[in-house]
Amino acid sequence: MKNILITGGAGFIGSHVVRRLVTRYPEYHIINLDLLTYAGNLENLRDIEGANNYTFIKGDIADKEMVNKLFHLYDINTVIHLAAESHVDRSIDDPLAFARTNIMGTLNLLEVARDFWKGRTDVLFYHISTDEVYGSLGSEGFFTEKSPYQPNSPYSASKAGSDHFVRAYGETYGLPYITSNCSNNYGPNQFPEKLIPLMINNIISNKPLPVYGDGNYTRDWLYVIDHAEAIDLILHKAETGETYNIGGFNEWKNIDLVRLLCTLIDQRLNRAQGSSEKLITFVKDRPGHDKRYAIDASKIHKDLGWKPGVTFQQGLALTIDWYLSNKEWLEHVTSGEYREYYEKRYE
Ligand code: NAD
Ligand code: TYD
């Protein structure tokens, strides 16, 4: 019997992981701990909120007393840790918030787990991280599990710090752990401050499309449901102490990707071809902007047989359709505080 504490389960990736585990494993109890920051949204989980094996708790991973109570109350034997401040631009504006949640919050969870599990080996702390901890690639090569850590943004530095603490708890206290580092995700429910949903939202509403610098920055894109599948496989099949890189074998320069989104949405909305491309606006570059990320995902393929389940064409079509049919969700998450933040940034 697994009693799984999923942190950040109301966020983008977390909600897909929660849905997958709640529906595929009715014998597990899934406890979703989420602070519901601007990025967390219970609308992401409406379809499963009444499930018998699911419990939602609103709370902060940095609140030790509360986390400790949860471990005791639900006899937690597995943690899948996704809660984080996750947006690079926000980390440039407010690095301390990232240190607080991503480093101190993770450390707090580790402390509670260490104390509650007391040397048990039939438990697992599964930490979800990013390829951004490895820094930036030149035009050649890929990140592997052996790449050195060279984080460049406050976000990636805070995630690197959390990765190191997880590893240190394994080495020092014998805490059973696994870490996976994934490339850029896209798909339904992603907050529209990240590149793909921001561009989809702005194209739909005929707003400028802000491309940083010359747009010649490369990211490796993975459909979020493929990431959730990889997490499920790692949870059940990977050895403790392992790390896995997860990626889409799918590199795109930002400018090419934005042009592709314009074309696909023009077709979908029966607009004249080329009309949305006119919205592209080159804006001031992000400081410390990493040039290229690309993952070598051969280890997870070799060990666990994982590979992405959808092509980029399929994933983008599903994503665009989702945003077009969920305008209320978009309207809701972009109103209020976020609208002010965005308007201050660009308008
Ligand atoms: P997200 O910003 O959409 O969601 C983060 C969730 O964490 C939100 O629901 C938020 O309410 C919650 N949260 C934030 N602070 C909290 C706190 N103190 N206590 C409890 N809950 C808190 O993020 P995401 O894109 O879904 O990313 C999830 C995880 O995956 C993060 O750890 C991120 O670093 C990692 N990751 C993301 C990507 C990506 O492309 N989005 C890629 C690789 C790894
Ligand atoms: P983002 O989605 O913020 O992910 P990350 O920085 O974690 O990779 O950005 C993806 C790429 O898109 C990155 O190179 C920055 C760029 N970008 C823009 O050009 N314009 C934008 O408005 C945003 C949000 C990102």
mmCIF file with all atom_site columns, all heavy atoms in Angstrom, residues 87-89 132 184 193-195 198-199 210-212 217 219 254 286 289 293 346, ligand 2:
data_model
loop_
_atom_site.group_PDB
_atom_site.id
_atom_site.type_symbol
_atom_site.label_atom_id
_atom_site.label_alt_id
_atom_site.label_comp_id
_atom_site.label_asym_id
_atom_site.label_entity_id
_atom_site.label_seq_id
_atom_site.pdbx_PDB_ins_code
_atom_site.Cartn_x
_atom_site.Cartn_y
_atom_site.Cartn_z
_atom_site.occupancy
_atom_site.B_iso_or_equiv
_atom_site.pdbx_formal_charge
_atom_site.auth_seq_id
_atom_site.auth_comp_id
_atom_site.auth_asym_id
_atom_site.auth_atom_id
_atom_site.pdbx_PDB_model_num
ATOM   1   N N   . HIS A 1 87  ? 9.285  29.737 -12.438 1.00 0.00 ? 87  HIS A N   1
ATOM   2   C CA  . HIS A 1 87  ? 9.469  30.571 -13.639 1.00 0.00 ? 87  HIS A CA  1
ATOM   3   C C   . HIS A 1 87  ? 10.743 31.429 -13.560 1.00 0.00 ? 87  HIS A C   1
ATOM   4   O O   . HIS A 1 87  ? 10.907 32.234 -12.639 1.00 0.00 ? 87  HIS A O   1
ATOM   5   C CB  . HIS A 1 87  ? 8.242  31.461 -13.834 1.00 0.00 ? 87  HIS A CB  1
ATOM   6   C CG  . HIS A 1 87  ? 8.246  32.161 -15.162 1.00 0.00 ? 87  HIS A CG  1
ATOM   7   N ND1 . HIS A 1 87  ? 8.581  31.525 -16.341 1.00 0.00 ? 87  HIS A ND1 1
ATOM   8   C CD2 . HIS A 1 87  ? 7.964  33.425 -15.507 1.00 0.00 ? 87  HIS A CD2 1
ATOM   9   C CE1 . HIS A 1 87  ? 8.502  32.380 -17.342 1.00 0.00 ? 87  HIS A CE1 1
ATOM   10  N NE2 . HIS A 1 87  ? 8.128  33.544 -16.860 1.00 0.00 ? 87  HIS A NE2 1
ATOM   11  N N   . VAL A 1 88  ? 11.622 31.244 -14.549 1.00 0.00 ? 88  VAL A N   1
ATOM   12  C CA  . VAL A 1 88  ? 12.941 31.898 -14.552 1.00 0.00 ? 88  VAL A CA  1
ATOM   13  C C   . VAL A 1 88  ? 12.821 33.426 -14.428 1.00 0.00 ? 88  VAL A C   1
ATOM   14  O O   . VAL A 1 88  ? 13.538 34.054 -13.644 1.00 0.00 ? 88  VAL A O   1
ATOM   15  C CB  . VAL A 1 88  ? 13.717 31.525 -15.844 1.00 0.00 ? 88  VAL A CB  1
ATOM   16  C CG1 . VAL A 1 88  ? 15.011 32.324 -15.959 1.00 0.00 ? 88  VAL A CG1 1
ATOM   17  C CG2 . VAL A 1 88  ? 14.016 30.033 -15.878 1.00 0.00 ? 88  VAL A CG2 1
ATOM   18  N N   . ASP A 1 89  ? 11.906 34.037 -15.191 1.00 0.00 ? 89  ASP A N   1
ATOM   19  C CA  . ASP A 1 89  ? 11.814 35.509 -15.146 1.00 0.00 ? 89  ASP A CA  1
ATOM   20  C C   . ASP A 1 89  ? 11.461 36.000 -13.744 1.00 0.00 ? 89  ASP A C   1
ATOM   21  O O   . ASP A 1 89  ? 11.984 37.010 -13.276 1.00 0.00 ? 89  ASP A O   1
ATOM   22  C CB  . ASP A 1 89  ? 10.771 36.020 -16.158 1.00 0.00 ? 89  ASP A CB  1
ATOM   23  C CG  . ASP A 1 89  ? 11.226 35.763 -17.588 1.00 0.00 ? 89  ASP A CG  1
ATOM   24  O OD1 . ASP A 1 89  ? 12.432 35.875 -17.855 1.00 0.00 ? 89  ASP A OD1 1
ATOM   25  O OD2 . ASP A 1 89  ? 10.371 35.423 -18.431 1.00 0.00 ? 89  ASP A OD2 1
ATOM   26  N N   . GLU A 1 132 ? 17.740 22.489 -16.350 1.00 0.00 ? 132 GLU A N   1
ATOM   27  C CA  . GLU A 1 132 ? 18.382 23.809 -16.297 1.00 0.00 ? 132 GLU A CA  1
ATOM   28  C C   . GLU A 1 132 ? 19.531 23.848 -15.285 1.00 0.00 ? 132 GLU A C   1
ATOM   29  O O   . GLU A 1 132 ? 20.362 24.745 -15.324 1.00 0.00 ? 132 GLU A O   1
ATOM   30  C CB  . GLU A 1 132 ? 17.338 24.898 -16.009 1.00 0.00 ? 132 GLU A CB  1
ATOM   31  C CG  . GLU A 1 132 ? 16.249 24.877 -17.055 1.00 0.00 ? 132 GLU A CG  1
ATOM   32  C CD  . GLU A 1 132 ? 15.286 26.064 -17.040 1.00 0.00 ? 132 GLU A CD  1
ATOM   33  O OE1 . GLU A 1 132 ? 15.661 27.127 -16.527 1.00 0.00 ? 132 GLU A OE1 1
ATOM   34  O OE2 . GLU A 1 132 ? 14.171 25.904 -17.553 1.00 0.00 ? 132 GLU A OE2 1
ATOM   35  N N   . ASN A 1 184 ? 12.010 21.142 -21.038 1.00 0.00 ? 184 ASN A N   1
ATOM   36  C CA  . ASN A 1 184 ? 10.817 22.006 -21.007 1.00 0.00 ? 184 ASN A CA  1
ATOM   37  C C   . ASN A 1 184 ? 9.546  21.231 -21.347 1.00 0.00 ? 184 ASN A C   1
ATOM   38  O O   . ASN A 1 184 ? 9.481  20.579 -22.381 1.00 0.00 ? 184 ASN A O   1
ATOM   39  C CB  . ASN A 1 184 ? 10.965 23.135 -22.026 1.00 0.00 ? 184 ASN A CB  1
ATOM   40  C CG  . ASN A 1 184 ? 11.987 24.168 -21.616 1.00 0.00 ? 184 ASN A CG  1
ATOM   41  O OD1 . ASN A 1 184 ? 13.171 23.864 -21.476 1.00 0.00 ? 184 ASN A OD1 1
ATOM   42  N ND2 . ASN A 1 184 ? 11.549 25.386 -21.397 1.00 0.00 ? 184 ASN A ND2 1
ATOM   43  N N   . GLU A 1 193 ? 2.474  32.089 -18.505 1.00 0.00 ? 193 GLU A N   1
ATOM   44  C CA  . GLU A 1 193 ? 3.658  32.956 -18.432 1.00 0.00 ? 193 GLU A CA  1
ATOM   45  C C   . GLU A 1 193 ? 4.825  32.244 -19.101 1.00 0.00 ? 193 GLU A C   1
ATOM   46  O O   . GLU A 1 193 ? 5.841  32.858 -19.389 1.00 0.00 ? 193 GLU A O   1
ATOM   47  C CB  . GLU A 1 193 ? 4.018  33.268 -16.976 1.00 0.00 ? 193 GLU A CB  1
ATOM   48  C CG  . GLU A 1 193 ? 4.431  32.051 -16.180 1.00 0.00 ? 193 GLU A CG  1
ATOM   49  C CD  . GLU A 1 193 ? 4.660  32.300 -14.697 1.00 0.00 ? 193 GLU A CD  1
ATOM   50  O OE1 . GLU A 1 193 ? 4.647  33.464 -14.270 1.00 0.00 ? 193 GLU A OE1 1
ATOM   51  O OE2 . GLU A 1 193 ? 4.852  31.305 -13.967 1.00 0.00 ? 193 GLU A OE2 1
ATOM   52  N N   . LYS A 1 194 ? 4.686  30.923 -19.360 1.00 0.00 ? 194 LYS A N   1
ATOM   53  C CA  . LYS A 1 194 ? 5.744  30.152 -20.017 1.00 0.00 ? 194 LYS A CA  1
ATOM   54  C C   . LYS A 1 194 ? 5.547  30.264 -21.533 1.00 0.00 ? 194 LYS A C   1
ATOM   55  O O   . LYS A 1 194 ? 4.432  30.544 -22.008 1.00 0.00 ? 194 LYS A O   1
ATOM   56  C CB  . LYS A 1 194 ? 5.678  28.688 -19.584 1.00 0.00 ? 194 LYS A CB  1
ATOM   57  C CG  . LYS A 1 194 ? 5.761  28.495 -18.066 1.00 0.00 ? 194 LYS A CG  1
ATOM   58  C CD  . LYS A 1 194 ? 7.190  28.356 -17.578 1.00 0.00 ? 194 LYS A CD  1
ATOM   59  C CE  . LYS A 1 194 ? 7.377  28.347 -16.086 1.00 0.00 ? 194 LYS A CE  1
ATOM   60  N NZ  . LYS A 1 194 ? 6.499  27.621 -15.251 1.00 0.00 ? 194 LYS A NZ  1
ATOM   61  N N   . LEU A 1 195 ? 6.620  30.019 -22.284 1.00 0.00 ? 195 LEU A N   1
ATOM   62  C CA  . LEU A 1 195 ? 6.619  30.387 -23.704 1.00 0.00 ? 195 LEU A CA  1
ATOM   63  C C   . LEU A 1 195 ? 5.394  29.902 -24.495 1.00 0.00 ? 195 LEU A C   1
ATOM   64  O O   . LEU A 1 195 ? 4.699  30.703 -25.120 1.00 0.00 ? 195 LEU A O   1
ATOM   65  C CB  . LEU A 1 195 ? 7.901  29.878 -24.385 1.00 0.00 ? 195 LEU A CB  1
ATOM   66  C CG  . LEU A 1 195 ? 7.990  30.256 -25.870 1.00 0.00 ? 195 LEU A CG  1
ATOM   67  C CD1 . LEU A 1 195 ? 8.315  31.737 -26.056 1.00 0.00 ? 195 LEU A CD1 1
ATOM   68  C CD2 . LEU A 1 195 ? 9.043  29.415 -26.594 1.00 0.00 ? 195 LEU A CD2 1
ATOM   69  N N   . LEU A 1 198 ? 1.901  31.182 -23.308 1.00 0.00 ? 198 LEU A N   1
ATOM   70  C CA  . LEU A 1 198 ? 1.856  32.647 -23.435 1.00 0.00 ? 198 LEU A CA  1
ATOM   71  C C   . LEU A 1 198 ? 1.617  33.031 -24.898 1.00 0.00 ? 198 LEU A C   1
ATOM   72  O O   . LEU A 1 198 ? 0.768  33.874 -25.216 1.00 0.00 ? 198 LEU A O   1
ATOM   73  C CB  . LEU A 1 198 ? 3.159  33.257 -22.924 1.00 0.00 ? 198 LEU A CB  1
ATOM   74  C CG  . LEU A 1 198 ? 3.229  34.788 -22.930 1.00 0.00 ? 198 LEU A CG  1
ATOM   75  C CD1 . LEU A 1 198 ? 3.951  35.296 -21.684 1.00 0.00 ? 198 LEU A CD1 1
ATOM   76  C CD2 . LEU A 1 198 ? 3.918  35.355 -24.159 1.00 0.00 ? 198 LEU A CD2 1
ATOM   77  N N   . MET A 1 199 ? 2.351  32.351 -25.801 1.00 0.00 ? 199 MET A N   1
ATOM   78  C CA  . MET A 1 199 ? 2.205  32.676 -27.223 1.00 0.00 ? 199 MET A CA  1
ATOM   79  C C   . MET A 1 199 ? 0.809  32.268 -27.714 1.00 0.00 ? 199 MET A C   1
ATOM   80  O O   . MET A 1 199 ? 0.168  33.020 -28.444 1.00 0.00 ? 199 MET A O   1
ATOM   81  C CB  . MET A 1 199 ? 3.301  31.985 -28.046 1.00 0.00 ? 199 MET A CB  1
ATOM   82  C CG  . MET A 1 199 ? 4.697  32.512 -27.751 1.00 0.00 ? 199 MET A CG  1
ATOM   83  S SD  . MET A 1 199 ? 4.855  34.282 -28.130 1.00 0.00 ? 199 MET A SD  1
ATOM   84  C CE  . MET A 1 199 ? 6.425  34.667 -27.327 1.00 0.00 ? 199 MET A CE  1
ATOM   85  N N   . PRO A 1 210 ? 5.989  38.548 -27.511 1.00 0.00 ? 210 PRO A N   1
ATOM   86  C CA  . PRO A 1 210 ? 7.322  39.032 -27.099 1.00 0.00 ? 210 PRO A CA  1
ATOM   87  C C   . PRO A 1 210 ? 8.398  37.951 -27.191 1.00 0.00 ? 210 PRO A C   1
ATOM   88  O O   . PRO A 1 210 ? 8.448  37.043 -26.367 1.00 0.00 ? 210 PRO A O   1
ATOM   89  C CB  . PRO A 1 210 ? 7.099  39.442 -25.630 1.00 0.00 ? 210 PRO A CB  1
ATOM   90  C CG  . PRO A 1 210 ? 5.964  38.593 -25.157 1.00 0.00 ? 210 PRO A CG  1
ATOM   91  C CD  . PRO A 1 210 ? 5.113  38.275 -26.346 1.00 0.00 ? 210 PRO A CD  1
ATOM   92  N N   . VAL A 1 211 ? 9.258  38.053 -28.208 1.00 0.00 ? 211 VAL A N   1
ATOM   93  C CA  . VAL A 1 211 ? 10.365 37.093 -28.365 1.00 0.00 ? 211 VAL A CA  1
ATOM   94  C C   . VAL A 1 211 ? 11.624 37.741 -27.798 1.00 0.00 ? 211 VAL A C   1
ATOM   95  O O   . VAL A 1 211 ? 12.009 38.843 -28.211 1.00 0.00 ? 211 VAL A O   1
ATOM   96  C CB  . VAL A 1 211 ? 10.547 36.737 -29.863 1.00 0.00 ? 211 VAL A CB  1
ATOM   97  C CG1 . VAL A 1 211 ? 11.788 35.878 -30.063 1.00 0.00 ? 211 VAL A CG1 1
ATOM   98  C CG2 . VAL A 1 211 ? 9.300  36.037 -30.384 1.00 0.00 ? 211 VAL A CG2 1
ATOM   99  N N   . TYR A 1 212 ? 12.262 37.056 -26.828 1.00 0.00 ? 212 TYR A N   1
ATOM   100 C CA  . TYR A 1 212 ? 13.441 37.641 -26.163 1.00 0.00 ? 212 TYR A CA  1
ATOM   101 C C   . TYR A 1 212 ? 14.656 37.612 -27.093 1.00 0.00 ? 212 TYR A C   1
ATOM   102 O O   . TYR A 1 212 ? 14.945 36.584 -27.728 1.00 0.00 ? 212 TYR A O   1
ATOM   103 C CB  . TYR A 1 212 ? 13.799 36.858 -24.899 1.00 0.00 ? 212 TYR A CB  1
ATOM   104 C CG  . TYR A 1 212 ? 12.760 36.839 -23.801 1.00 0.00 ? 212 TYR A CG  1
ATOM   105 C CD1 . TYR A 1 212 ? 12.864 35.931 -22.747 1.00 0.00 ? 212 TYR A CD1 1
ATOM   106 C CD2 . TYR A 1 212 ? 11.668 37.718 -23.795 1.00 0.00 ? 212 TYR A CD2 1
ATOM   107 C CE1 . TYR A 1 212 ? 11.932 35.886 -21.727 1.00 0.00 ? 212 TYR A CE1 1
ATOM   108 C CE2 . TYR A 1 212 ? 10.728 37.689 -22.770 1.00 0.00 ? 212 TYR A CE2 1
ATOM   109 C CZ  . TYR A 1 212 ? 10.861 36.773 -21.743 1.00 0.00 ? 212 TYR A CZ  1
ATOM   110 O OH  . TYR A 1 212 ? 9.939  36.725 -20.736 1.00 0.00 ? 212 TYR A OH  1
ATOM   111 N N   . TYR A 1 217 ? 17.341 31.010 -29.401 1.00 0.00 ? 217 TYR A N   1
ATOM   112 C CA  . TYR A 1 217 ? 17.607 30.201 -28.201 1.00 0.00 ? 217 TYR A CA  1
ATOM   113 C C   . TYR A 1 217 ? 16.857 28.896 -28.389 1.00 0.00 ? 217 TYR A C   1
ATOM   114 O O   . TYR A 1 217 ? 15.731 28.889 -28.909 1.00 0.00 ? 217 TYR A O   1
ATOM   115 C CB  . TYR A 1 217 ? 17.120 30.929 -26.944 1.00 0.00 ? 217 TYR A CB  1
ATOM   116 C CG  . TYR A 1 217 ? 17.923 32.175 -26.654 1.00 0.00 ? 217 TYR A CG  1
ATOM   117 C CD1 . TYR A 1 217 ? 17.578 33.404 -27.232 1.00 0.00 ? 217 TYR A CD1 1
ATOM   118 C CD2 . TYR A 1 217 ? 19.044 32.116 -25.835 1.00 0.00 ? 217 TYR A CD2 1
ATOM   119 C CE1 . TYR A 1 217 ? 18.330 34.550 -26.978 1.00 0.00 ? 217 TYR A CE1 1
ATOM   120 C CE2 . TYR A 1 217 ? 19.801 33.256 -25.571 1.00 0.00 ? 217 TYR A CE2 1
ATOM   121 C CZ  . TYR A 1 217 ? 19.440 34.465 -26.152 1.00 0.00 ? 217 TYR A CZ  1
ATOM   122 O OH  . TYR A 1 217 ? 20.193 35.592 -25.898 1.00 0.00 ? 217 TYR A OH  1
ATOM   123 N N   . ARG A 1 219 ? 15.253 25.199 -27.023 1.00 0.00 ? 219 ARG A N   1
ATOM   124 C CA  . ARG A 1 219 ? 14.717 24.389 -25.924 1.00 0.00 ? 219 ARG A CA  1
ATOM   125 C C   . ARG A 1 219 ? 14.273 23.042 -26.489 1.00 0.00 ? 219 ARG A C   1
ATOM   126 O O   . ARG A 1 219 ? 13.923 22.940 -27.671 1.00 0.00 ? 219 ARG A O   1
ATOM   127 C CB  . ARG A 1 219 ? 13.520 25.093 -25.259 1.00 0.00 ? 219 ARG A CB  1
ATOM   128 C CG  . ARG A 1 219 ? 13.858 26.441 -24.583 1.00 0.00 ? 219 ARG A CG  1
ATOM   129 C CD  . ARG A 1 219 ? 14.770 26.232 -23.396 1.00 0.00 ? 219 ARG A CD  1
ATOM   130 N NE  . ARG A 1 219 ? 15.115 27.453 -22.673 1.00 0.00 ? 219 ARG A NE  1
ATOM   131 C CZ  . ARG A 1 219 ? 16.242 28.149 -22.852 1.00 0.00 ? 219 ARG A CZ  1
ATOM   132 N NH1 . ARG A 1 219 ? 17.128 27.774 -23.771 1.00 0.00 ? 219 ARG A NH1 1
ATOM   133 N NH2 . ARG A 1 219 ? 16.499 29.214 -22.101 1.00 0.00 ? 219 ARG A NH2 1
ATOM   134 N N   . ASN A 1 254 ? 13.390 29.202 -30.401 1.00 0.00 ? 254 ASN A N   1
ATOM   135 C CA  . ASN A 1 254 ? 12.169 29.903 -29.990 1.00 0.00 ? 254 ASN A CA  1
ATOM   136 C C   . ASN A 1 254 ? 11.453 30.557 -31.171 1.00 0.00 ? 254 ASN A C   1
ATOM   137 O O   . ASN A 1 254 ? 10.230 30.442 -31.313 1.00 0.00 ? 254 ASN A O   1
ATOM   138 C CB  . ASN A 1 254 ? 12.493 30.987 -28.956 1.00 0.00 ? 254 ASN A CB  1
ATOM   139 C CG  . ASN A 1 254 ? 12.999 30.395 -27.652 1.00 0.00 ? 254 ASN A CG  1
ATOM   140 O OD1 . ASN A 1 254 ? 12.757 29.226 -27.356 1.00 0.00 ? 254 ASN A OD1 1
ATOM   141 N ND2 . ASN A 1 254 ? 13.718 31.190 -26.875 1.00 0.00 ? 254 ASN A ND2 1
ATOM   142 N N   . ARG A 1 286 ? 16.456 38.307 -21.910 1.00 0.00 ? 286 ARG A N   1
ATOM   143 C CA  . ARG A 1 286 ? 16.499 37.910 -20.493 1.00 0.00 ? 286 ARG A CA  1
ATOM   144 C C   . ARG A 1 286 ? 17.955 37.905 -20.042 1.00 0.00 ? 286 ARG A C   1
ATOM   145 O O   . ARG A 1 286 ? 18.811 37.314 -20.731 1.00 0.00 ? 286 ARG A O   1
ATOM   146 C CB  . ARG A 1 286 ? 15.900 36.503 -20.416 1.00 0.00 ? 286 ARG A CB  1
ATOM   147 C CG  . ARG A 1 286 ? 15.988 35.842 -19.078 1.00 0.00 ? 286 ARG A CG  1
ATOM   148 C CD  . ARG A 1 286 ? 15.553 34.375 -19.168 1.00 0.00 ? 286 ARG A CD  1
ATOM   149 N NE  . ARG A 1 286 ? 14.129 34.198 -19.134 1.00 0.00 ? 286 ARG A NE  1
ATOM   150 C CZ  . ARG A 1 286 ? 13.527 33.016 -19.315 1.00 0.00 ? 286 ARG A CZ  1
ATOM   151 N NH1 . ARG A 1 286 ? 14.236 31.923 -19.566 1.00 0.00 ? 286 ARG A NH1 1
ATOM   152 N NH2 . ARG A 1 286 ? 12.217 32.922 -19.259 1.00 0.00 ? 286 ARG A NH2 1
ATOM   153 N N   . HIS A 1 289 ? 20.493 34.572 -20.115 1.00 0.00 ? 289 HIS A N   1
ATOM   154 C CA  . HIS A 1 289 ? 19.642 33.673 -20.906 1.00 0.00 ? 289 HIS A CA  1
ATOM   155 C C   . HIS A 1 289 ? 20.442 32.468 -21.423 1.00 0.00 ? 289 HIS A C   1
ATOM   156 O O   . HIS A 1 289 ? 21.393 32.640 -22.194 1.00 0.00 ? 289 HIS A O   1
ATOM   157 C CB  . HIS A 1 289 ? 19.080 34.483 -22.084 1.00 0.00 ? 289 HIS A CB  1
ATOM   158 C CG  . HIS A 1 289 ? 17.913 33.874 -22.747 1.00 0.00 ? 289 HIS A CG  1
ATOM   159 N ND1 . HIS A 1 289 ? 17.115 34.582 -23.618 1.00 0.00 ? 289 HIS A ND1 1
ATOM   160 C CD2 . HIS A 1 289 ? 17.370 32.633 -22.687 1.00 0.00 ? 289 HIS A CD2 1
ATOM   161 C CE1 . HIS A 1 289 ? 16.143 33.803 -24.055 1.00 0.00 ? 289 HIS A CE1 1
ATOM   162 N NE2 . HIS A 1 289 ? 16.290 32.611 -23.510 1.00 0.00 ? 289 HIS A NE2 1
ATOM   163 N N   . TYR A 1 293 ? 19.251 24.135 -24.438 1.00 0.00 ? 293 TYR A N   1
ATOM   164 C CA  . TYR A 1 293 ? 19.084 22.940 -23.606 1.00 0.00 ? 293 TYR A CA  1
ATOM   165 C C   . TYR A 1 293 ? 18.736 21.773 -24.530 1.00 0.00 ? 293 TYR A C   1
ATOM   166 O O   . TYR A 1 293 ? 17.899 21.928 -25.434 1.00 0.00 ? 293 TYR A O   1
ATOM   167 C CB  . TYR A 1 293 ? 17.903 23.061 -22.627 1.00 0.00 ? 293 TYR A CB  1
ATOM   168 C CG  . TYR A 1 293 ? 17.901 24.220 -21.665 1.00 0.00 ? 293 TYR A CG  1
ATOM   169 C CD1 . TYR A 1 293 ? 16.701 24.835 -21.326 1.00 0.00 ? 293 TYR A CD1 1
ATOM   170 C CD2 . TYR A 1 293 ? 19.068 24.668 -21.052 1.00 0.00 ? 293 TYR A CD2 1
ATOM   171 C CE1 . TYR A 1 293 ? 16.649 25.889 -20.407 1.00 0.00 ? 293 TYR A CE1 1
ATOM   172 C CE2 . TYR A 1 293 ? 19.032 25.716 -20.132 1.00 0.00 ? 293 TYR A CE2 1
ATOM   173 C CZ  . TYR A 1 293 ? 17.819 26.326 -19.821 1.00 0.00 ? 293 TYR A CZ  1
ATOM   174 O OH  . TYR A 1 293 ? 17.781 27.351 -18.920 1.00 0.00 ? 293 TYR A OH  1
ATOM   175 N N   . TYR A 1 346 ? 5.196  44.331 -19.886 1.00 0.00 ? 346 TYR A N   1
ATOM   176 C CA  . TYR A 1 346 ? 5.264  44.573 -21.337 1.00 0.00 ? 346 TYR A CA  1
ATOM   177 C C   . TYR A 1 346 ? 4.532  45.800 -21.847 1.00 0.00 ? 346 TYR A C   1
ATOM   178 O O   . TYR A 1 346 ? 4.711  46.170 -22.995 1.00 0.00 ? 346 TYR A O   1
ATOM   179 C CB  . TYR A 1 346 ? 4.697  43.365 -22.096 1.00 0.00 ? 346 TYR A CB  1
ATOM   180 C CG  . TYR A 1 346 ? 5.563  42.143 -21.953 1.00 0.00 ? 346 TYR A CG  1
ATOM   181 C CD1 . TYR A 1 346 ? 5.095  41.037 -21.283 1.00 0.00 ? 346 TYR A CD1 1
ATOM   182 C CD2 . TYR A 1 346 ? 6.846  42.125 -22.478 1.00 0.00 ? 346 TYR A CD2 1
ATOM   183 C CE1 . TYR A 1 346 ? 5.890  39.919 -21.129 1.00 0.00 ? 346 TYR A CE1 1
ATOM   184 C CE2 . TYR A 1 346 ? 7.655  41.014 -22.329 1.00 0.00 ? 346 TYR A CE2 1
ATOM   185 C CZ  . TYR A 1 346 ? 7.173  39.921 -21.653 1.00 0.00 ? 346 TYR A CZ  1
ATOM   186 O OH  . TYR A 1 346 ? 7.960  38.830 -21.502 1.00 0.00 ? 346 TYR A OH  1
HETATM 187 P P1  . TYD B 2 .   ? 10.240 29.603 -20.563 1.00 0.00 ? 2   TYD B P1  1
HETATM 188 O O1  . TYD B 2 .   ? 8.947  29.043 -21.034 1.00 0.00 ? 2   TYD B O1  1
HETATM 189 O O2  . TYD B 2 .   ? 10.214 30.727 -19.565 1.00 0.00 ? 2   TYD B O2  1
HETATM 190 O O3  . TYD B 2 .   ? 11.098 28.381 -20.039 1.00 0.00 ? 2   TYD B O3  1
HETATM 191 P P2  . TYD B 2 .   ? 12.668 28.328 -19.579 1.00 0.00 ? 2   TYD B P2  1
HETATM 192 O O4  . TYD B 2 .   ? 13.212 29.683 -19.495 1.00 0.00 ? 2   TYD B O4  1
HETATM 193 O O5  . TYD B 2 .   ? 12.563 27.678 -18.233 1.00 0.00 ? 2   TYD B O5  1
HETATM 194 O O6  . TYD B 2 .   ? 13.337 27.485 -20.603 1.00 0.00 ? 2   TYD B O6  1
HETATM 195 O O7  . TYD B 2 .   ? 11.040 30.123 -21.821 1.00 0.00 ? 2   TYD B O7  1
HETATM 196 C C1  . TYD B 2 .   ? 11.374 29.254 -22.893 1.00 0.00 ? 2   TYD B C1  1
HETATM 197 C C2  . TYD B 2 .   ? 12.234 30.038 -23.885 1.00 0.00 ? 2   TYD B C2  1
HETATM 198 O O8  . TYD B 2 .   ? 11.417 31.077 -24.468 1.00 0.00 ? 2   TYD B O8  1
HETATM 199 C C3  . TYD B 2 .   ? 13.391 30.757 -23.245 1.00 0.00 ? 2   TYD B C3  1
HETATM 200 O O9  . TYD B 2 .   ? 14.495 30.746 -24.160 1.00 0.00 ? 2   TYD B O9  1
HETATM 201 C C4  . TYD B 2 .   ? 12.914 32.187 -23.053 1.00 0.00 ? 2   TYD B C4  1
HETATM 202 C C5  . TYD B 2 .   ? 11.966 32.373 -24.224 1.00 0.00 ? 2   TYD B C5  1
HETATM 203 N N1  . TYD B 2 .   ? 10.823 33.287 -24.000 1.00 0.00 ? 2   TYD B N1  1
HETATM 204 C C6  . TYD B 2 .   ? 10.569 34.329 -24.912 1.00 0.00 ? 2   TYD B C6  1
HETATM 205 O O10 . TYD B 2 .   ? 11.291 34.522 -25.899 1.00 0.00 ? 2   TYD B O10 1
HETATM 206 N N2  . TYD B 2 .   ? 9.480  35.119 -24.685 1.00 0.00 ? 2   TYD B N2  1
HETATM 207 C C7  . TYD B 2 .   ? 8.668  34.953 -23.609 1.00 0.00 ? 2   TYD B C7  1
HETATM 208 O O11 . TYD B 2 .   ? 7.702  35.744 -23.438 1.00 0.00 ? 2   TYD B O11 1
HETATM 209 C C8  . TYD B 2 .   ? 8.943  33.889 -22.690 1.00 0.00 ? 2   TYD B C8  1
HETATM 210 C C9  . TYD B 2 .   ? 8.084  33.666 -21.486 1.00 0.00 ? 2   TYD B C9  1
HETATM 211 C C10 . TYD B 2 .   ? 10.037 33.079 -22.939 1.00 0.00 ? 2   TYD B C10 1
#
